mmCIF file of all heavy atoms in Angstrom:
data_model
loop_
_atom_site.group_PDB
_atom_site.id
_atom_site.type_symbol
_atom_site.label_atom_id
_atom_site.label_comp_id
_atom_site.label_asym_id
_atom_site.label_seq_id
_atom_site.Cartn_x
_atom_site.Cartn_y
_atom_site.Cartn_z
ATOM 1 N N PRO A 1 0.793 -1.169 -0.046
ATOM 2 C CA PRO A 1 -0.047 -0.017 0.033
ATOM 3 C C PRO A 1 0.886 1.241 0.068
ATOM 4 O O PRO A 1 1.979 1.251 0.515
ATOM 5 C CB PRO A 1 -0.833 -0.103 1.347
ATOM 6 C CG PRO A 1 -0.149 -1.185 2.056
ATOM 7 C CD PRO A 1 0.635 -1.977 1.203
ATOM 8 N N SER A 2 0.359 2.333 -0.636
ATOM 9 C CA SER A 2 1.056 3.633 -0.745
ATOM 10 C C SER A 2 0.033 4.628 -0.649
ATOM 11 O O SER A 2 -1.097 4.623 -1.055
ATOM 12 C CB SER A 2 1.844 3.674 -2.142
ATOM 13 O OG SER A 2 2.221 5.051 -2.285
ATOM 14 N N LEU A 3 0.542 5.795 -0.035
ATOM 15 C CA LEU A 3 -0.372 6.825 0.166
ATOM 16 C C LEU A 3 -0.698 7.486 -1.308
ATOM 17 O O LEU A 3 -1.708 8.280 -1.463
ATOM 18 C CB LEU A 3 0.209 7.981 0.963
ATOM 19 C CG LEU A 3 0.367 7.631 2.537
ATOM 20 C CD1 LEU A 3 1.062 8.677 3.326
ATOM 21 C CD2 LEU A 3 -1.089 7.442 3.155
ATOM 22 N N GLU A 4 0.064 7.124 -2.229
ATOM 23 C CA GLU A 4 -0.292 7.606 -3.591
ATOM 24 C C GLU A 4 -1.466 6.875 -4.102
ATOM 25 O O GLU A 4 -2.181 7.317 -5.148
ATOM 26 C CB GLU A 4 0.843 7.365 -4.487
ATOM 27 C CG GLU A 4 2.164 8.249 -4.071
ATOM 28 C CD GLU A 4 3.319 8.005 -5.089
ATOM 29 O OE1 GLU A 4 3.219 7.055 -6.012
ATOM 30 O OE2 GLU A 4 4.279 8.680 -4.959
ATOM 31 N N HIS A 5 -1.925 5.792 -3.561
ATOM 32 C CA HIS A 5 -3.104 5.094 -3.834
ATOM 33 C C HIS A 5 -4.289 5.762 -3.341
ATOM 34 O O HIS A 5 -5.420 5.335 -3.838
ATOM 35 C CB HIS A 5 -3.164 3.542 -3.370
ATOM 36 C CG HIS A 5 -2.048 2.797 -3.817
ATOM 37 N ND1 HIS A 5 -1.460 1.720 -3.192
ATOM 38 C CD2 HIS A 5 -1.194 2.921 -4.991
ATOM 39 C CE1 HIS A 5 -0.372 1.213 -3.864
ATOM 40 N NE2 HIS A 5 -0.261 1.973 -5.002
ATOM 41 N N LEU A 6 -4.238 6.644 -2.588
ATOM 42 C CA LEU A 6 -5.446 7.484 -2.138
ATOM 43 C C LEU A 6 -6.114 8.199 -3.258
ATOM 44 O O LEU A 6 -5.439 8.758 -4.140
ATOM 45 C CB LEU A 6 -5.079 8.368 -0.921
ATOM 46 C CG LEU A 6 -4.592 7.703 0.366
ATOM 47 C CD1 LEU A 6 -4.238 8.905 1.400
ATOM 48 C CD2 LEU A 6 -5.628 6.820 0.948
ATOM 49 N N HIS A 7 -7.439 8.207 -3.341
ATOM 50 C CA HIS A 7 -8.102 8.959 -4.367
ATOM 51 C C HIS A 7 -8.040 10.482 -4.376
ATOM 52 O O HIS A 7 -7.902 11.068 -3.103
ATOM 53 C CB HIS A 7 -9.570 8.465 -4.481
ATOM 54 C CG HIS A 7 -9.816 6.963 -4.688
ATOM 55 N ND1 HIS A 7 -9.197 6.285 -5.751
ATOM 56 C CD2 HIS A 7 -10.418 6.109 -3.906
ATOM 57 C CE1 HIS A 7 -9.593 5.056 -5.621
ATOM 58 N NE2 HIS A 7 -10.242 4.889 -4.433
ATOM 59 N N ASP A 8 -8.125 11.193 -5.302
ATOM 60 C CA ASP A 8 -8.291 12.555 -5.299
ATOM 61 C C ASP A 8 -9.532 12.958 -4.623
ATOM 62 O O ASP A 8 -10.635 12.649 -4.986
ATOM 63 C CB ASP A 8 -8.383 13.107 -6.803
ATOM 64 C CG ASP A 8 -8.423 14.640 -6.939
ATOM 65 O OD1 ASP A 8 -8.624 15.339 -5.826
ATOM 66 O OD2 ASP A 8 -8.448 15.084 -8.031
ATOM 67 N N PRO A 9 -9.342 13.720 -3.462
ATOM 68 C CA PRO A 9 -10.595 14.071 -2.756
ATOM 69 C C PRO A 9 -11.592 14.955 -3.355
ATOM 70 O O PRO A 9 -12.792 14.922 -3.103
ATOM 71 C CB PRO A 9 -9.934 14.922 -1.499
ATOM 72 C CG PRO A 9 -8.672 15.393 -2.035
ATOM 73 C CD PRO A 9 -8.085 14.335 -2.956
ATOM 74 N N PHE A 10 -11.164 15.662 -4.415
ATOM 75 C CA PHE A 10 -12.051 16.444 -5.210
ATOM 76 C C PHE A 10 -12.978 15.637 -6.165
ATOM 77 O O PHE A 10 -13.860 16.191 -6.799
ATOM 78 C CB PHE A 10 -11.333 17.585 -6.026
ATOM 79 C CG PHE A 10 -10.740 18.620 -5.111
ATOM 80 C CD1 PHE A 10 -9.444 18.649 -4.759
ATOM 81 C CD2 PHE A 10 -11.548 19.634 -4.575
ATOM 82 C CE1 PHE A 10 -8.892 19.643 -3.998
ATOM 83 C CE2 PHE A 10 -11.139 20.632 -3.831
ATOM 84 C CZ PHE A 10 -9.778 20.613 -3.391
ATOM 85 N N LEU A 11 -12.671 14.277 -6.218
ATOM 86 C CA LEU A 11 -13.663 13.468 -6.948
ATOM 87 C C LEU A 11 -14.998 13.347 -6.128
ATOM 88 O O LEU A 11 -15.965 12.861 -6.818
ATOM 89 C CB LEU A 11 -13.046 12.048 -7.112
ATOM 90 C CG LEU A 11 -11.940 11.894 -8.098
ATOM 91 C CD1 LEU A 11 -11.219 10.553 -8.039
ATOM 92 C CD2 LEU A 11 -12.194 12.428 -9.426
ATOM 93 N N MET A 12 -14.941 13.729 -4.920
ATOM 94 C CA MET A 12 -16.226 13.464 -4.106
ATOM 95 C C MET A 12 -17.126 14.641 -4.380
ATOM 96 O O MET A 12 -16.746 15.883 -4.373
ATOM 97 C CB MET A 12 -15.789 13.426 -2.536
ATOM 98 C CG MET A 12 -16.919 12.941 -1.705
ATOM 99 S SD MET A 12 -16.463 12.825 0.009
ATOM 100 C CE MET A 12 -15.287 11.562 -0.253
ATOM 101 N N LYS A 13 -18.409 14.322 -4.554
ATOM 102 C CA LYS A 13 -19.326 15.374 -4.746
ATOM 103 C C LYS A 13 -19.456 16.327 -3.526
ATOM 104 O O LYS A 13 -19.455 15.978 -2.316
ATOM 105 C CB LYS A 13 -20.789 14.739 -4.855
ATOM 106 C CG LYS A 13 -21.933 15.787 -5.001
ATOM 107 C CD LYS A 13 -23.360 15.150 -5.104
ATOM 108 C CE LYS A 13 -24.394 16.084 -5.133
ATOM 109 N NZ LYS A 13 -25.724 15.635 -5.087
ATOM 110 N N GLY A 14 -19.385 17.665 -3.834
ATOM 111 C CA GLY A 14 -19.431 18.664 -2.829
ATOM 112 C C GLY A 14 -18.069 19.119 -2.195
ATOM 113 O O GLY A 14 -18.012 20.134 -1.467
ATOM 114 N N MET A 15 -16.955 18.408 -2.580
ATOM 115 C CA MET A 15 -15.712 18.754 -1.945
ATOM 116 C C MET A 15 -15.215 20.162 -2.323
ATOM 117 O O MET A 15 -14.736 20.816 -1.613
ATOM 118 C CB MET A 15 -14.681 17.739 -2.324
ATOM 119 C CG MET A 15 -13.390 17.970 -1.609
ATOM 120 S SD MET A 15 -13.618 17.689 0.180
ATOM 121 C CE MET A 15 -13.558 15.890 0.270
ATOM 122 N N GLN A 16 -15.447 20.527 -3.634
ATOM 123 C CA GLN A 16 -15.058 21.867 -4.038
ATOM 124 C C GLN A 16 -15.743 22.921 -3.302
ATOM 125 O O GLN A 16 -15.192 23.924 -2.748
ATOM 126 C CB GLN A 16 -15.308 21.952 -5.507
ATOM 127 C CG GLN A 16 -14.743 23.348 -6.219
ATOM 128 C CD GLN A 16 -13.277 23.354 -6.342
ATOM 129 O OE1 GLN A 16 -12.766 22.353 -6.922
ATOM 130 N NE2 GLN A 16 -12.668 24.329 -5.803
ATOM 131 N N GLN A 17 -17.074 22.697 -3.054
ATOM 132 C CA GLN A 17 -17.878 23.743 -2.401
ATOM 133 C C GLN A 17 -17.475 23.805 -0.960
ATOM 134 O O GLN A 17 -17.390 24.855 -0.351
ATOM 135 C CB GLN A 17 -19.431 23.368 -2.550
ATOM 136 C CG GLN A 17 -19.939 23.513 -3.842
ATOM 137 C CD GLN A 17 -19.745 22.260 -4.781
ATOM 138 O OE1 GLN A 17 -19.003 21.452 -4.500
ATOM 139 N NE2 GLN A 17 -20.636 22.117 -5.772
ATOM 140 N N ALA A 18 -17.125 22.638 -0.283
ATOM 141 C CA ALA A 18 -16.742 22.586 1.167
ATOM 142 C C ALA A 18 -15.453 23.411 1.314
ATOM 143 O O ALA A 18 -15.325 24.174 2.186
ATOM 144 C CB ALA A 18 -16.577 21.211 1.515
ATOM 145 N N VAL A 19 -14.510 23.157 0.496
ATOM 146 C CA VAL A 19 -13.178 23.711 0.623
ATOM 147 C C VAL A 19 -13.375 25.283 0.322
ATOM 148 O O VAL A 19 -12.700 26.102 1.043
ATOM 149 C CB VAL A 19 -12.094 23.109 -0.310
ATOM 150 C CG1 VAL A 19 -10.827 23.965 -0.344
ATOM 151 C CG2 VAL A 19 -11.924 21.690 0.101
ATOM 152 N N ASP A 20 -14.117 25.603 -0.701
ATOM 153 C CA ASP A 20 -14.276 27.075 -0.945
ATOM 154 C C ASP A 20 -14.922 27.814 0.304
ATOM 155 O O ASP A 20 -14.519 28.863 0.523
ATOM 156 C CB ASP A 20 -15.239 27.186 -2.207
ATOM 157 C CG ASP A 20 -14.549 26.846 -3.497
ATOM 158 O OD1 ASP A 20 -13.221 26.778 -3.534
ATOM 159 O OD2 ASP A 20 -15.207 26.666 -4.506
ATOM 160 N N ARG A 21 -15.962 27.106 0.844
ATOM 161 C CA ARG A 21 -16.638 27.673 2.013
ATOM 162 C C ARG A 21 -15.744 27.926 3.287
ATOM 163 O O ARG A 21 -15.763 28.871 3.951
ATOM 164 C CB ARG A 21 -17.889 26.942 2.365
ATOM 165 C CG ARG A 21 -18.639 27.611 3.554
ATOM 166 C CD ARG A 21 -19.242 28.971 3.135
ATOM 167 N NE ARG A 21 -19.916 29.619 4.152
ATOM 168 C CZ ARG A 21 -19.363 30.390 5.041
ATOM 169 N NH1 ARG A 21 -18.153 30.671 5.078
ATOM 170 N NH2 ARG A 21 -20.183 31.071 6.007
ATOM 171 N N ILE A 22 -14.844 26.832 3.513
ATOM 172 C CA ILE A 22 -13.786 27.051 4.606
ATOM 173 C C ILE A 22 -12.852 28.189 4.336
ATOM 174 O O ILE A 22 -12.561 28.948 5.236
ATOM 175 C CB ILE A 22 -13.101 25.672 4.731
ATOM 176 C CG1 ILE A 22 -14.037 24.603 5.234
ATOM 177 C CG2 ILE A 22 -12.008 25.801 5.629
ATOM 178 C CD1 ILE A 22 -13.410 23.232 5.234
ATOM 179 N N GLU A 23 -12.423 28.331 3.126
ATOM 180 C CA GLU A 23 -11.505 29.297 2.795
ATOM 181 C C GLU A 23 -12.082 30.751 2.781
ATOM 182 O O GLU A 23 -11.461 31.756 3.301
ATOM 183 C CB GLU A 23 -10.902 29.054 1.387
ATOM 184 C CG GLU A 23 -10.029 27.790 1.252
ATOM 185 C CD GLU A 23 -9.123 27.798 0.168
ATOM 186 O OE1 GLU A 23 -9.410 28.424 -0.969
ATOM 187 O OE2 GLU A 23 -8.045 27.246 0.211
ATOM 188 N N LYS A 24 -13.351 30.769 2.471
ATOM 189 C CA LYS A 24 -14.092 31.996 2.681
ATOM 190 C C LYS A 24 -14.239 32.416 4.129
ATOM 191 O O LYS A 24 -13.957 33.639 4.571
ATOM 192 C CB LYS A 24 -15.429 31.896 2.049
ATOM 193 C CG LYS A 24 -16.331 33.227 2.197
ATOM 194 C CD LYS A 24 -17.775 33.005 1.666
ATOM 195 C CE LYS A 24 -18.625 34.131 1.942
ATOM 196 N NZ LYS A 24 -20.005 33.959 1.521
ATOM 197 N N ALA A 25 -14.533 31.436 4.917
ATOM 198 C CA ALA A 25 -14.665 31.630 6.381
ATOM 199 C C ALA A 25 -13.388 32.198 6.906
ATOM 200 O O ALA A 25 -13.344 33.080 7.817
ATOM 201 C CB ALA A 25 -15.147 30.454 7.128
ATOM 202 N N ILE A 26 -12.285 31.411 6.652
ATOM 203 C CA ILE A 26 -10.991 31.999 7.118
ATOM 204 C C ILE A 26 -10.615 33.350 6.575
ATOM 205 O O ILE A 26 -10.068 34.143 7.391
ATOM 206 C CB ILE A 26 -9.891 30.957 6.684
ATOM 207 C CG1 ILE A 26 -10.104 29.507 7.318
ATOM 208 C CG2 ILE A 26 -8.485 31.456 6.907
ATOM 209 C CD1 ILE A 26 -9.174 28.447 6.858
ATOM 210 N N ALA A 27 -10.898 33.594 5.360
ATOM 211 C CA ALA A 27 -10.556 34.942 4.803
ATOM 212 C C ALA A 27 -11.314 36.114 5.538
ATOM 213 O O ALA A 27 -10.782 37.185 5.750
ATOM 214 C CB ALA A 27 -10.789 34.931 3.362
ATOM 215 N N LEU A 28 -12.676 35.779 5.882
ATOM 216 C CA LEU A 28 -13.445 36.811 6.523
ATOM 217 C C LEU A 28 -13.289 36.734 8.074
ATOM 218 O O LEU A 28 -13.992 37.563 8.695
ATOM 219 C CB LEU A 28 -14.887 36.543 6.038
ATOM 220 C CG LEU A 28 -15.194 36.753 4.669
ATOM 221 C CD1 LEU A 28 -16.641 36.459 4.297
ATOM 222 C CD2 LEU A 28 -14.823 38.154 4.139
ATOM 223 N N GLY A 29 -12.488 35.885 8.658
ATOM 224 C CA GLY A 29 -12.474 35.788 10.090
ATOM 225 C C GLY A 29 -13.706 35.229 10.765
ATOM 226 O O GLY A 29 -13.906 35.541 11.982
ATOM 227 N N GLU A 30 -14.440 34.372 10.147
ATOM 228 C CA GLU A 30 -15.609 33.785 10.682
ATOM 229 C C GLU A 30 -15.239 32.666 11.710
ATOM 230 O O GLU A 30 -14.168 32.202 11.726
ATOM 231 C CB GLU A 30 -16.508 33.241 9.679
ATOM 232 C CG GLU A 30 -16.986 34.064 8.630
ATOM 233 C CD GLU A 30 -17.874 33.323 7.556
ATOM 234 O OE1 GLU A 30 -18.869 32.603 7.984
ATOM 235 O OE2 GLU A 30 -17.594 33.399 6.378
ATOM 236 N N LYS A 31 -16.203 32.601 12.713
ATOM 237 C CA LYS A 31 -15.989 31.513 13.669
ATOM 238 C C LYS A 31 -16.535 30.137 13.132
ATOM 239 O O LYS A 31 -17.716 30.117 12.557
ATOM 240 C CB LYS A 31 -16.861 31.868 14.981
ATOM 241 C CG LYS A 31 -16.292 33.072 15.718
ATOM 242 C CD LYS A 31 -17.080 33.303 16.928
ATOM 243 C CE LYS A 31 -16.785 32.324 18.039
ATOM 244 N NZ LYS A 31 -17.410 32.614 19.278
ATOM 245 N N ILE A 32 -15.642 29.174 13.208
ATOM 246 C CA ILE A 32 -15.893 27.841 12.550
ATOM 247 C C ILE A 32 -16.071 26.919 13.790
ATOM 248 O O ILE A 32 -15.159 26.713 14.733
ATOM 249 C CB ILE A 32 -14.786 27.356 11.685
ATOM 250 C CG1 ILE A 32 -14.630 28.326 10.523
ATOM 251 C CG2 ILE A 32 -15.065 25.947 11.124
ATOM 252 C CD1 ILE A 32 -13.353 27.959 9.699
ATOM 253 N N LEU A 33 -17.245 26.136 13.766
ATOM 254 C CA LEU A 33 -17.475 25.072 14.852
ATOM 255 C C LEU A 33 -17.453 23.702 14.155
ATOM 256 O O LEU A 33 -18.119 23.407 13.260
ATOM 257 C CB LEU A 33 -18.926 25.375 15.392
ATOM 258 C CG LEU A 33 -19.304 24.401 16.601
ATOM 259 C CD1 LEU A 33 -18.378 24.581 17.695
ATOM 260 C CD2 LEU A 33 -20.716 24.534 16.925
ATOM 261 N N ILE A 34 -16.567 22.718 14.858
ATOM 262 C CA ILE A 34 -16.458 21.445 14.422
ATOM 263 C C ILE A 34 -17.366 20.668 15.321
ATOM 264 O O ILE A 34 -17.177 20.600 16.448
ATOM 265 C CB ILE A 34 -14.978 20.943 14.508
ATOM 266 C CG1 ILE A 34 -13.937 21.987 14.007
ATOM 267 C CG2 ILE A 34 -14.861 19.634 13.847
ATOM 268 C CD1 ILE A 34 -14.130 22.427 12.611
ATOM 269 N N TYR A 35 -18.348 19.974 14.637
ATOM 270 C CA TYR A 35 -19.462 19.365 15.430
ATOM 271 C C TYR A 35 -19.364 17.852 15.036
ATOM 272 O O TYR A 35 -19.457 17.452 13.891
ATOM 273 C CB TYR A 35 -20.739 19.959 14.926
ATOM 274 C CG TYR A 35 -22.007 19.533 15.706
ATOM 275 C CD1 TYR A 35 -22.730 20.680 16.357
ATOM 276 C CD2 TYR A 35 -22.442 18.384 15.905
ATOM 277 C CE1 TYR A 35 -23.814 20.431 17.091
ATOM 278 C CE2 TYR A 35 -23.555 18.101 16.630
ATOM 279 C CZ TYR A 35 -24.361 19.124 17.189
ATOM 280 O OH TYR A 35 -25.462 18.758 17.925
ATOM 281 N N GLY A 36 -19.328 17.058 16.063
ATOM 282 C CA GLY A 36 -19.343 15.619 15.790
ATOM 283 C C GLY A 36 -19.960 14.813 16.834
ATOM 284 O O GLY A 36 -20.326 15.153 17.977
ATOM 285 N N ASP A 37 -20.069 13.431 16.447
ATOM 286 C CA ASP A 37 -20.725 12.456 17.276
ATOM 287 C C ASP A 37 -19.977 12.133 18.503
ATOM 288 O O ASP A 37 -18.672 12.376 18.497
ATOM 289 C CB ASP A 37 -21.096 11.197 16.499
ATOM 290 C CG ASP A 37 -21.975 10.244 17.188
ATOM 291 O OD1 ASP A 37 -22.689 10.641 18.127
ATOM 292 O OD2 ASP A 37 -21.860 9.094 16.882
ATOM 293 N N TYR A 38 -20.520 11.562 19.488
ATOM 294 C CA TYR A 38 -19.822 11.211 20.722
ATOM 295 C C TYR A 38 -19.260 9.866 20.748
ATOM 296 O O TYR A 38 -18.602 9.492 21.793
ATOM 297 C CB TYR A 38 -20.850 11.319 21.932
ATOM 298 C CG TYR A 38 -22.143 10.811 21.768
ATOM 299 C CD1 TYR A 38 -22.410 9.416 21.544
ATOM 300 C CD2 TYR A 38 -23.285 11.595 21.545
ATOM 301 C CE1 TYR A 38 -23.593 8.811 21.429
ATOM 302 C CE2 TYR A 38 -24.607 11.011 21.341
ATOM 303 C CZ TYR A 38 -24.755 9.773 21.350
ATOM 304 O OH TYR A 38 -25.991 9.177 21.051
ATOM 305 N N ASP A 39 -19.212 9.104 19.699
ATOM 306 C CA ASP A 39 -18.573 7.753 19.759
ATOM 307 C C ASP A 39 -17.146 7.918 19.211
ATOM 308 O O ASP A 39 -16.643 9.077 18.917
ATOM 309 C CB ASP A 39 -19.294 6.818 18.882
ATOM 310 C CG ASP A 39 -19.358 7.063 17.349
ATOM 311 O OD1 ASP A 39 -18.649 8.154 16.889
ATOM 312 O OD2 ASP A 39 -19.920 6.312 16.605
ATOM 313 N N VAL A 40 -16.415 6.791 19.082
ATOM 314 C CA VAL A 40 -14.970 6.930 18.608
ATOM 315 C C VAL A 40 -14.761 7.569 17.220
ATOM 316 O O VAL A 40 -14.029 8.433 17.099
ATOM 317 C CB VAL A 40 -14.463 5.474 18.571
ATOM 318 C CG1 VAL A 40 -12.893 5.662 18.177
ATOM 319 C CG2 VAL A 40 -14.445 4.887 20.019
ATOM 320 N N ASP A 41 -15.708 7.192 16.346
ATOM 321 C CA ASP A 41 -15.595 7.804 14.941
ATOM 322 C C ASP A 41 -15.751 9.219 14.921
ATOM 323 O O ASP A 41 -14.989 10.050 14.419
ATOM 324 C CB ASP A 41 -16.553 7.033 14.083
ATOM 325 C CG ASP A 41 -16.241 7.239 12.555
ATOM 326 O OD1 ASP A 41 -15.059 7.686 12.337
ATOM 327 O OD2 ASP A 41 -17.119 7.042 11.745
ATOM 328 N N GLY A 42 -16.772 9.719 15.745
ATOM 329 C CA GLY A 42 -17.002 11.073 15.815
ATOM 330 C C GLY A 42 -15.986 11.821 16.536
ATOM 331 O O GLY A 42 -15.540 12.921 16.087
ATOM 332 N N THR A 43 -15.563 11.450 17.619
ATOM 333 C CA THR A 43 -14.598 12.199 18.447
ATOM 334 C C THR A 43 -13.157 12.200 17.770
ATOM 335 O O THR A 43 -12.481 13.168 17.885
ATOM 336 C CB THR A 43 -14.375 11.604 19.861
ATOM 337 O OG1 THR A 43 -14.192 10.154 19.809
ATOM 338 C CG2 THR A 43 -15.640 11.897 20.726
#
């Protein structure tokens, strides 16, 4: 196995919009909340 075998993340539907929105939030100094489930996968 090689990390080069990982797929391009931008193949996923919505990834472009997600990254664009994060970069907009950072550029404007917005407050970002990371919200997740209470199990191992979420934490």
Side-chain angles (χ1 to χ4, degrees):
S2 168
L3 290 174
E4 294 181 358
H5 298 154
L6 296 179
H7 303 301
D8 179 354
F10 287 102
L11 294 175
M12 192 176 300
K13 180 186 177 183
M15 187 64 76
Q16 186 72 52
Q17 293 88 334
V19 173
D20 287 346
R21 183 63 183 89
I22 291 170
E23 294 197 327
K24 177 184 176 182
I26 292 172
L28 296 177
E30 297 180 56
K31 294 181 71 174
I32 303 174
L33 185 65
I34 316 302
Y35 192 121
D37 188 27
Y38 42 69
D39 69 0
V40 179
D41 195 15
T43 52

